[in-house]
Amino acid sequence: MSKPIYIINGPNLNLLGTREPEIYGHQTLADIEKLCAIAAEDLGYNIRFFQSNIEGELVDFIQEAGSQGSVIIINPAAYTHTSVALYDAIKAVSIPCIEIHLSQPAARESFRRRSYVAEAANGTISGFGVKSYLLGLQAAIHLLEASA
Amino acid sequence: MSKPIYIINGPNLNLLGTREPEIYGHQTLADIEKLCAIAAEDLGYNIRFFQSNIEGELVDFIQEAGSQGSVIIINPAAYTHTSVALYDAIKAVSIPCIEIHLSQPAARESFRRRSYVAEAANGTISGFGVKSYLLGLQAAIHLLEASA
Amino acid sequence: MSKPIYIINGPNLNLLGTREPEIYGHQTLADIEKLCAIAAEDLGYNIRFFQSNIEGELVDFIQEAGSQGSVIIINPAAYTHTSVALYDAIKAVSIPCIEIHLSQPAARESFRRRSYVAEAANGTISGFGVKSYLLGLQAAIHLLEASA
Amino acid sequence: MSKPIYIINGPNLNLLGTREPEIYGHQTLADIEKLCAIAAEDLGYNIRFFQSNIEGELVDFIQEAGSQGSVIIINPAAYTHTSVALYDAIKAVSIPCIEIHLSQPAARESFRRRSYVAEAANGTISGFGVKSYLLGLQAAIHLLEASA
Amino acid sequence: MSKPIYIINGPNLNLLGTREPEIYGHQTLADIEKLCAIAAEDLGYNIRFFQSNIEGELVDFIQEAGSQGSVIIINPAAYTHTSVALYDAIKAVSIPCIEIHLSQPAARESFRRRSYVAEAANGTISGFGVKSYLLGLQAAIHLLEASA
Amino acid sequence: MSKPIYIINGPNLNLLGTREPEIYGHQTLADIEKLCAIAAEDLGYNIRFFQSNIEGELVDFIQEAGSQGSVIIINPAAYTHTSVALYDAIKAVSIPCIEIHLSQPAARESFRRRSYVAEAANGTISGFGVKSYLLGLQAAIHLLEASA
Amino acid sequence: MSKPIYIINGPNLNLLGTREPEIYGHQTLADIEKLCAIAAEDLGYNIRFFQSNIEGELVDFIQEAGSQGSVIIINPAAYTHTSVALYDAIKAVSIPCIEIHLSQPAARESFRRRSYVAEAANGTISGFGVKSYLLGLQAAIHLLEASA
Amino acid sequence: MSKPIYIINGPNLNLLGTREPEIYGHQTLADIEKLCAIAAEDLGYNIRFFQSNIEGELVDFIQEAGSQGSVIIINPAAYTHTSVALYDAIKAVSIPCIEIHLSQPAARESFRRRSYVAEAANGTISGFGVKSYLLGLQAAIHLLEASA
Amino acid sequence: MSKPIYIINGPNLNLLGTREPEIYGHQTLADIEKLCAIAAEDLGYNIRFFQSNIEGELVDFIQEAGSQGSVIIINPAAYTHTSVALYDAIKAVSIPCIEIHLSQPAARESFRRRSYVAEAANGTISGFGVKSYLLGLQAAIHLLEASA
Amino acid sequence: MSKPIYIINGPNLNLLGTREPEIYGHQTLADIEKLCAIAAEDLGYNIRFFQSNIEGELVDFIQEAGSQGSVIIINPAAYTHTSVALYDAIKAVSIPCIEIHLSQPAARESFRRRSYVAEAANGTISGFGVKSYLLGLQAAIHLLEASA
Amino acid sequence: MSKPIYIINGPNLNLLGTREPEIYGHQTLADIEKLCAIAAEDLGYNIRFFQSNIEGELVDFIQEAGSQGSVIIINPAAYTHTSVALYDAIKAVSIPCIEIHLSQPAARESFRRRSYVAEAANGTISGFGVKSYLLGLQAAIHLLEASA
Amino acid sequence: MSKPIYIINGPNLNLLGTREPEIYGHQTLADIEKLCAIAAEDLGYNIRFFQSNIEGELVDFIQEAGSQGSVIIINPAAYTHTSVALYDAIKAVSIPCIEIHLSQPAARESFRRRSYVAEAANGTISGFGVKSYLLGLQAAIHLLEASA
């Protein structure tokens, strides 16, 4: 069977459903994991789903994906804007990487304009709430099949 | 029948297939229009597809979409980074707007880091080549159906 | 009879009355044209009134005003902040030029702080809604009569 | 009888008529006060006219206007570009405020590009010499009558 | 016969001869076209000569040159400093491109220091008035013959 | 008896209770003075309480405190962000100085991010409304007793 | 009994008492915890006290406080200036948050001028050594009782 | 008899002799006034000597000097770096102006690098303690006699 | 026996040998550890060797080194450019610290130009691949023996 | 006979033909001197040709040209971007000056975007390899004959 | 006899009397040397007078002054704004250093606002033409006698 | 015999041993040369050792090294931060180059943060006093032998 798709979630995303729902919506991260698992299965893929508030653990997940996964979907949340470590990790692995965001960072505080992750990732999907994950899944599979 | 989805293309995209194919791929804009039309039809929607090299005509298309369309998918190309006029036009219409890019601007010249369009749009999809259009279509329909 | 006063309107102003009325008010651009025509006539002047979404056509209008008009009133809208071409056009014609705005740009997004048009124009009037046009007319006639 | 219109003048404006007349014209501040008083009277209003070189006294006048005046017309001169105190004072009073300038600051030294007063005021009129005051009066009365 | 040399002129250059002659000289754009045509003919080449105030039409001309011309000489005027669209167009065509200016932008307003066109063009010639066009022609022919 | 604690209030604070109560609360400056006097008395200290809209008078109060007071509590309001004169005055006196704010400047306009006063003061307390004064009093007495 | 007050300490604060005592004083973090516990108890409250060098664990503590605590007092130390993750965490929880510092960051290296935490917190207390914690406790209880 | 030389002193200079003597020396402002008066008298001139902590009063003194004095020597202290009002006042009077400083601002905090006063003054003398005043006197008389 | 030399490695260095070998070389981190251990032993020293992807754990190692080690050699990798926490940790311990890099950060992306670690460390060695570690060892021993 | 044309070459140009030939071409500086001498002779002019790696010697050559030459052609190489001394020297001599470059600096490292020499020179020619010298010669003779 | 006063002149000052006399006056550098020699002699001192266009030779002169001179007066001209080498040289010698300028750099191009020399020198005198040298001499002797 | 190692020293290093010994140590440059010669000899290499205060002579030495040397060790001192000419020279030669510093520039004035030399060199060693030279020698030989 093919290697799983890694879906990696950054800081504070474990609060989804409770935190600022007017920006982030009402679904929990567990809800999103289920939706992604089902959607992936429908397309013949399986996923591994992670969350951590710790930048270095996100680096760990990216590294693990590099050896055991086929493609990375990452919602780096706050670390999007400050983490050279994530940038380096994505550059260091040889599988594709897709950056996703629930909200549209460019339309928020000015410090959210720069994304180190976008500078390393193959592509970016932002602003569609939970749908960003599902579009990310499709994009991931597209990249996998395009390079297959 | 529902109002069409407007897909608006900015400067130099009429050269697609000939221009820097290592960045933008080998398909022409006409190819992309066909792919989008078919994909939309499959989902029960129809599209209108535009291209102009003139910033103000892109503003015209956005305005037309505002009255005759249901949602905007825009690849603003070079105007992404310089056009307050597009920003204002998108803010002025009451339908959703999705920004797409074939390439990943954040990974290119530093002047491509700021997107005025992203600051006005609902969401952004970049870096997946022609697939960015098809993902944009899905995102568009998602927004339409979510707000229906 | 004296040369007409040129009133030139930039991008998205054709949407007036529908677009973000909490910022721009409820009157249409045709309403404004009528108000200006009447006010000018009362003062013994006639106007020519233009709108375009295209930066280069605004340059055309300024140039036409330079040979056929007596004074320019321009609401450059989004191009206020990005257009060196308008700056150059205003510098290139030998008649006076007045910049007007319906809203107060300095109180909005930070990218609206710089006005290239203000750097070339004789004066600026902003923040009074449609009244900005009528004050602009008076200022225009003042400049004409002062230099007569 | 209605509350007076406050016309507040900032630093060095007491020198008008002697100081750099190629920029500021030949009329004195007393001349301007008379012109404003007459113009206001013609329109059924009366004015109070102040000048100070001291930033904090300009704050005082704005505060006094807030309780005893109907609208503020302020030519903040040099404090335009440096005074958060004027910004706060204008924000703190509930009556409208109009910023005026004899010259066109945007066309002068680069440090004149930012106006803290413009960020707090309802509108701005600049570049018309003494006429800026008279246009400011009309704008003031317009705001008063629009909100009446 | 060989493909023509495209000479493309940006905004406000149609005013040449009337506009700020102390900066731009007294010859009209038609005069320059004639001088260029004669000079090209002497060297065994023919030219096509364009002017537009519209950024997007300059993009059109560059694209047309890309398929029907041999080399581009462009005086982008005000768009020099603001147009990523011209940058992209020049990058997108496979023929050489030479940027020219009548005046010396670096010695003027600070906003004229950055040239997006220079970042994409093969070379730049500025500051020699009409002679900049004739030197540009020679440079163009040099590039053609060097690559022949 | 020990020297009094100087509590110095900057521009527009005399409007407290009327000005933007959603930011600054409903108590007047006289109310605050009373609360501070009582709180100080309870702790065996007395206060002197000042307000001025004039930057230079705030400098005067700081200097007076330097010779006649024991410690300074200053709410510099708008001058926080622009006054090198206050910075110098605080540096010039040998008694401790505490900066206080009713609101949280860092969470407001970006021009409120820099505090010259904070760079000279011993400590800062912000964001607690009138309570900021009372905490400032305690901090002041702490500093006095720590250095006694 | 009421929910505890969370006191969260950032990187290197575990070294207190040994590290640069001329800046940070001679008391250990355990000393501070005891002082805070006693002071809280005197006021009828209890505390939970944490320290971590890991940014993501500070996020964890803030989240835990959001569900199990009544108010947060945080000394974010070095992460003050770099952590969008802390900003997001504080914004995400619905309880008040107070930023404290032993020293006065504004008076130190220029990179300490920006505080992301201050932009999200209700208030800030800095510069009073261990007393900053005790003042923070009072401020915390004030906010609790004010909103009770 | 000739008009006096105006020597104008800015904020906190009234503290001289007590304030940071390692930077500013031990002589009081009264001592300096005496030294200047004697030195001027020796050279056949008389002086007027002022100090204020209020920016606007310094503007007043400059204006008075403009009509009643022959030359201005100004130590603008903290207002050096922030006052457009002093810049405007110096520009507005037609007599020469010399900026002096006791210390060397360029060698201190980075915010002391810009001097608005230097941009308007004829010359600057800094870094020589009280001697800066005496050198300023000689420079003043030099300018007077050069233009006589 | 003397305290060991701490060699601390930052994020993604655990991938050495697989990651971008054209930049970082083909040896693994375990290979480097062995080389360092042998080299140290030859010189009469022993080492402790760490790696973590987590910023806060690097802080922990630095602190541990401060009490149990003699000198720190740190390759902070991506945290070089973003970590005030590492800066503070290095400043907080009283033993020497040497920053090393395999590559030459100044010759790479512009965000690698600033090193917070360099601002706190005694010295820096970069650009020599694995040899940077061995030179770092010699520098470490030099510092130890110089201060012995 | 007329005064010679000075051709002045900056640092590292003595390496031409060996240094980075993919950027600078294969001809040596001696080759270029010969080409220029022949080309000048054909047009009835003679040249003097210099090279130095020392900024001050380039200043010397410019000064010598100012008294003994008719026009300056300068390839300032690295000093283009850093030398106010060259700027001053060019401003100080009353003969025309033309800046040339073999490569196109605007298309290289960002620190090559600013040219102090361009701000002082009459015109600039860049990007044509050795042909830049020959075009510079023509431009020089054009300027000479235009002012004759 | 006492060590001589070193007067060191930077690039292009050898052109004095011919170069831009409206800025720098009509006296030659030899004239200035004579005036300085006489003035010094009158005061019981002798001078050594240098000029070079080469930054490194100015460094040499400063170093020579450090061992053989008593005080340095330097007019660093263009190197004022770009030379860290002069900054280091002045810091490296233990005698006083006075920066002088004929013109007022702060009132000229914006790149003249920063002076590296001012950051290292004891004091600065600018804007008085040749008189700047004579005032510099007095300041020099003042510093010598003050430290004697 | 192999080509010598070039050790090139920049401005003010000839003062070593006398200049600011708390930063640079007590050994003279001649002492360092001897230490380097001995150390090189021990390793079977010989050195050539240079110093100049003149930027262009450092360029000369680098060029000479390019043809007659095997590797460059350069302590560019003040020119580190300002010299594009050194950057270009290092890029132009095909032998390796190592940047060394006695002190740690990143820990000093902010203008020492950027190193143009580091952007061109293979590696950098800073902060170890004279030991930086000896480590540089080892690094140099390592590079030579690695590429042999």
Side-chain angles (χ1 to χ4, degrees), chain D residues 98-121:
Chain D
I98 295 164
E99 178 197 30
I100 59 171
H101 296 282
L102 294 161
S103 70
Q104 179 76 334
R108 298 173 64 197
E109 300 94 330
S110 65
F111 59 68
R112 294 199 205 271
R113 283 221 194 100
R114 177 159 202 181
S115 168
Y116 284 102
V117 170
E119 296 178 32

Side-chain angles (χ1 to χ4, degrees), chain I residues 2-146:
Chain I
S2 68
K3 288 177 169 180
I5 294 168
Y6 271 60
I7 303 178
I8 300 172
N9 295 279
N12 295 303
L13 290 168
N14 58 324
L15 294 185
L16 271 181
T18 63
R19 172 194 179 195
E20 298 173 279
E22 72 287 0
I23 301 179
Y24 298 105
H26 289 85
Q27 285 173 293
T28 66
L29 199 61
D31 295 336
I32 293 174
E33 182 173 2
K34 269 181 229 149
L35 287 169
C36 288
I38 292 166
E41 202 175 41
D42 284 355
L43 295 158
Y45 290 85
N46 65 329
I47 66 166
R48 296 205 51 194
F49 200 88
F50 303 83
Q51 191 273 335
S52 175
N53 291 332
I54 298 175
E55 185 180 7
E57 289 185 356
L58 300 174
V59 170
D60 291 345
F61 293 146
I62 293 169
Q63 292 186 355
E64 183 187 313
S67 61
Q68 299 175 32
S70 57
V71 62
I72 295 162
I73 296 168
I74 184 165
N75 180 346
Y79 294 134
T80 303
H81 316 297
T82 62
S83 179
V84 175
L86 291 183
Y87 172 98
D88 278 357
I90 295 167
K91 288 275 192 189
V93 297
S94 55
I95 61 172
C97 179
I98 296 165
E99 176 196 31
I100 59 171
H101 296 282
L102 295 161
S103 69
Q104 179 76 335
R108 298 173 64 198
E109 301 95 331
S110 64
F111 59 69
R112 294 199 205 270
R113 284 223 194 97
R114 179 159 201 181
S115 168
Y116 285 102
V117 169
E119 296 179 33
N122 295 61
T124 296
I125 295 170
S126 63
F128 305 107
V130 173
K131 185 74 178 178
S132 290
Y133 282 80
L134 301 177
L135 292 167
L137 258 180
Q138 290 191 54
I141 291 166
H142 166 76
L143 292 179
L144 283 179
E145 298 183 347

Side-chain angles (χ1 to χ4, degrees), chain G residues 30 48 55 71 77 115:
Chain G
R48 297 205 52 193
E55 185 180 8
V71 63
S115 168

Side-chain angles (χ1 to χ4, degrees), chain K residues 2-9 33 36-37 40 45-51 61 64-65 67-74 133 137:
Chain K
S2 68
K3 288 176 169 181
I5 293 167
Y6 272 60
I7 303 178
I8 300 172
N9 295 278
E33 181 173 3
C36 287
Y45 290 86
N46 65 329
I47 66 167
R48 296 206 53 195
F49 201 88
F50 302 85
Q51 193 274 335
F61 293 146
E64 184 188 312
S67 61
Q68 300 175 31
S70 57
V71 62
I72 296 163
I73 297 168
I74 185 165
Y133 282 81
L137 259 180

